[in-house]
Amino acid sequence: MNNNRKMKVGILGGTFDPIHTGHLFIAQTALDEAGLDEVVFVPSGSPPHKKNNEVTNASCRLHMVTEAISANPNFNVSEIDIDNNKTGYTYDLLTLLTERNPEVSFYFIMGADSFMEIKTWYRYDELLTMVGFIVMKRKGYDSEEMDYQTGIFKKTHQARIIILDSPKLEISSSEIRNRIKTNKSIKYLVPEKVEMYIYQKNLYGKD
């Protein structure tokens, strides 16, 4: 056994408004297929693409994530983005994580569509060398262009990129919010503890 082996940790960021079983299944798939030791969920503080009044307050979203992952010893949650209380970039988040945890090899979990737009991200060149990437692609996804781009990044940046087939679960947070507004059940779309919390706090109810 190599005692110098770095711990491999996946980072799954998002608004998680609310967290749902699709998020959990993606995290578990990454954990199993990429040989990760742990997946850390990072709820965003102030998502730059959304107005403050469009997002449930951070403490509620953090609580839902904590409840959702409580039964899985390989899942954890970080308040790092919430604590910074600023609209930032993925670069800022991952810089903080890598600086605070130099003994960890981080892998950022993302979808194939986002990965194909990574050249538009803030300081993407540095991101590609800072952390690894686990890219979840849909089955049947035309991956020829992605495979080409991945090959280029591996050659020019020595990038660590793992391509995985994404679980096919057609669930979205917006769909869950809409179902609540229209008095439809969200059972089995979110963990039971999250469902109970949503109704206790009257989250996403009719205005």
Side-chain angles (χ1 to χ4, degrees):
M1 181 172 167
N2 183 3
N3 292 326
N4 294 321
R5 173 187 175 275
K6 279 192 171 185
M7 188 176 182
K8 291 176 65 175
V9 175
I11 298 297
L12 185 60
T15 309
F16 301 122
D17 197 15
I19 188 169
H20 54 69
T21 52
H23 294 129
L24 301 175
F25 200 11
I26 284 173
Q28 187 64 47
T29 299
L31 185 82
D32 294 338
E33 300 297 326
L36 301 177
D37 298 294
E38 180 180 76
V39 174
V40 177
F41 292 72
V42 184
S44 55
S46 300
H49 57 290
K50 296 183 180 181
K51 297 177 182 178
N52 288 336
N53 61 359
E54 292 179 342
V55 182
T56 303
N57 71 70
S59 62
C60 287
R61 292 185 286 112
L62 176 64
H63 183 86
M64 287 189 284
V65 172
T66 303
E67 291 284 18
I69 68 173
S70 60
N72 193 323
N74 297 116
F75 287 174
N76 211 330
V77 60
S78 171
E79 301 176 36
I80 189 169
D81 205 23
I82 292 172
D83 289 343
N84 280 294
N85 194 29
K86 67 178 182 178
T87 298
Y89 297 96
T90 300
Y91 172 84
D92 299 322
L93 167 65
L94 295 178
T95 297
L96 278 174
L97 284 171
T98 54
E99 286 178 349
R100 293 181 183 182
N101 304 276
E103 75 287 356
V104 173
S105 181
F106 286 107
Y107 285 80
F108 189 70
I109 303 169
M110 64 193 303
D113 293 343
S114 296
F115 178 74
M116 290 306 296
E117 297 177 352
I118 198 168
K119 283 187 175 182
T120 67
W121 290 24
Y122 176 65
R123 301 178 78 163
Y124 85 93
D125 275 310
E126 292 165 76
L127 273 177
L128 287 169
T129 59
M130 185 186 303
V131 299
F133 290 86
I134 296 174
V135 182
M136 311 296 293
K137 68 173 183 177
R138 300 183 305 276
K139 289 185 179 180
Y141 182 87
D142 183 2
S143 59
E144 185 175 340
E145 184 179 354
M146 186 171 67
D147 290 343
Y148 173 77
Q149 188 62 72
T150 297
I152 295 294
F153 286 152
K154 287 182 176 180
K155 184 177 295 185
T156 58
H157 296 76
Q158 290 74 54
R160 294 172 286 135
I161 302 171
I162 300 172
I163 309 295
L164 299 177
D165 284 330
S166 177
K168 189 175 182 181
L169 289 177
E170 300 298 331
I171 305 174
S172 70
S173 296
S174 59
E175 175 193 3
I176 291 168
R177 295 194 299 269
N178 288 334
R179 290 183 69 87
I180 293 171
K181 284 183 180 293
T182 55
N183 295 317
K184 294 181 180 178
S185 174
I186 60 169
K187 191 172 291 293
Y188 310 121
L189 297 176
V190 299
E192 185 175 358
K193 289 182 179 180
V194 173
E195 180 186 10
M196 291 173 59
Y197 183 80
I198 287 172
Y199 289 127
Q200 286 171 359
K201 295 293 184 179
N202 193 29
L203 301 180
Y204 318 120
K206 293 181 179 179
D207 295 333

